[in-house]
Amino acid sequence: MLLTDPLTRPLRWLLLASLMLIMAVQPVKASDDDDDEDDDRLALVIGNGAYQNITALDNPVNDAVLMAKHLTEVGFEVTLVTDATQVELGRAISAFGRKLRDEGDDTTGLFFYAGHGVQSFGSNYLLPIDVEVLDAADLSLVGVPADAVLRQMYSARNRTNIFILDACRNNPFAEIPDLNDNGLAEMKAPRGTFLAYSTAPGEIAVDGTGSNSPFSEALASRLSEPGVPIEALFKEVRRTVLQQTNGLQIPWDTSSLTADFQFSPAVAPTPEELQLRQLWDSVKLSQDPIQVLLFLRANPNTIFNDEARALLAKLLPQSLNQETAPAEAAATPKPEPVDPEVAERDMIEEARKTGTAEAYKAYLEAYPTGAFTELARLELTTIETNAQSRDPIAEPVAPAIEPAPKPAQAPPAEKASTEVAFNAPLGIGGPEIAARSIAELITGSPMFPPVEGLPESFWKDKTCAACHNWAQSNLCDQAQTYLKESTRALDKQHPYGGAFKKALQTWARGGCK
């Protein structure tokens, strides 16, 4: 019957609608170009140690449990099998291959085996715990060929397979003719496969004196390292095992991978992390202890803190030596720095000394992509927004002055409230403040380390003015911030008390004379 007949036209539309519905529910296969970090990861992990008829092994089950734990942490769906008989081993391998085939092309498959393994006539066999061999000819009937596992994995036609053997710990059949070869034979890696052995072909691996073998322990500890290619990871495992076994065991690997693989993909840094790294790079390049100190104060908890503290410890003695060197030593010409250029370094140094927005703007105009660009922008932002995170007066670390003899009579408070001079006694606050001038106070020694954990030799008995480059001009810039009625700086704690800040406020109001 023709479907073009008017009587059959409704049937034709029904068939077309059914066909469209079937097509709509068919799964869409992902493109091969989609390198998705969420691709499925399947692992079969086997540890055999409780052998019934040959030498038992202490660590394979521990190794399998350890590997299963760490593989799960890096995104593998793990099937863990321990102390498997021949039947159980065969079923687990068959089920693993079937699941790989069901998951699709982008799945990563991983097989890990710890236990006895032997070679015969160039083929490798994994031994179940109920294995019993009386003649070399029996091995292929009671052992599981390692090639059988590779065939299961290759049949899935998936992108990446990883095959790891921590076997060949000793030869339990050394007394049987034709079964007295040590270690495992080298196998060829099918396309897209990474093969790894705990030791070189024909060599014996050690079971380990602890609860895990050296190979499994070294491998498991590195799986979570972000951004490390699998080839580089196993190279590090090889170095570790060589060191721990005094060169007796050399892990081996061979690869036919066609795609990059990392157990733990690298995490892309955030824009804030990138900006912080750029800032630290510019500070480090300056080799200026003051800039390093300011970086630590503004960023007290970053991944660069240890490096910054180490650099500061290195630079501060150099700075102190330069300050105390004889005049003739100072006259000795120093080698010119190569990078950044002298003019740029001088300009940022001048901006740092003056501490004005105009000086930093001038630097940014001259060197918009210079070595200290990010630092200059940060300082400029701090100045323009009156941020107090870098306020040397508002911070809790401040100079503590040894008490001076109390004068017979302090200046009247009324005069101090309307007039304060840079070189005249303040006349307000306690006796240790009222009897001293601003100039005297800022040349005192710090009470606390400017950075927590800084050795005393770097700050004890050193002047605060030398560290901060305090002078009448740049201290006046700071004091100007206290003229705003809404400023929060006056509310912050200071070792001199609130009177010192109020004195600075009055001094600024009078023109910083």
Side-chain angles (χ1 to χ4, degrees), residues 22-30:
I22 292 173
M23 292 176 65
V25 299
Q26 290 299 311
V28 178
K29 189 174 183 297

Side-chain angles (χ1 to χ4, degrees), residues 44 85-98:
L44 174 60
T85 64
Q86 182 187 24
V87 173
E88 293 168 342
L89 195 56
R91 286 176 177 171
I93 294 171
S94 176
F96 177 57
R98 186 165 54 252

Side-chain angles (χ1 to χ4, degrees), residues 274-391:
L274 288 173
Q275 184 179 15
L276 182 64
R277 174 172 288 280
Q278 186 178 9
L279 173 60
W280 167 238
D281 286 344
S282 66
V283 170
K284 180 169 60 174
L285 187 62
S286 74
Q287 294 291 293
D288 184 345
I290 300 300
Q291 299 300 340
V292 178
L293 190 64
L294 291 176
F295 176 86
L296 282 168
R297 286 182 169 180
N299 307 281
N301 298 300
T302 73
I303 60 174
F304 306 110
N305 278 29
D306 290 342
E307 186 180 359
R309 290 179 188 278
L311 180 60
L312 186 63
K314 175 184 175 183
L315 295 176
L316 278 177
Q318 297 176 1
S319 299
L320 294 175
N321 290 337
Q322 291 171 3
E323 291 178 4
T324 58
E328 56 271 17
T332 303
K334 298 180 181 179
E336 293 293 334
V338 177
D339 188 16
E341 62 182 33
V342 175
E344 180 184 357
R345 185 182 176 93
D346 289 346
M347 196 167 188
I348 193 66
E349 180 67 15
E350 182 64 27
R352 185 182 66 79
K353 287 180 179 179
T354 60
T356 64
E358 290 73 18
Y360 283 111
K361 287 179 180 178
Y363 169 83
L364 290 172
E365 290 177 0
Y367 300 97
T369 59
F372 311 102
T373 299
E374 288 301 321
L375 183 64
R377 287 175 179 164
L378 180 61
E379 293 290 345
L380 182 60
T381 301
T382 302
I383 294 171
E384 290 179 341
T385 60
N386 293 321
Q388 300 304 312
S389 61
R390 296 193 175 190
D391 178 1

Side-chain angles (χ1 to χ4, degrees), residues 96 100 107-112 146-147 149-165 186-197 230-231 234 252-261 263:
F96 177 57
L100 270 180
T107 303
T108 296
L110 184 145
F111 177 82
F112 174 88
D147 285 341
V149 183
L150 286 175
R151 282 195 295 271
Q152 289 286 339
M153 300 175 79
Y154 185 69
S155 68
R157 298 292 191 270
N158 53 319
R159 180 172 54 183
T160 302
N161 284 314
I162 304 166
F163 184 89
I164 306 171
L165 294 180
E186 186 172 5
M187 296 184 292
K188 293 183 178 180
R191 179 175 57 84
T193 304
F194 186 92
L195 294 180
Y197 311 83
I230 187 172
E231 295 86 357
F234 274 88
W252 200 266
D253 57 67
T254 183
S255 173
S256 64
L257 291 180
T258 58
D260 295 332
F261 180 81
F263 284 98

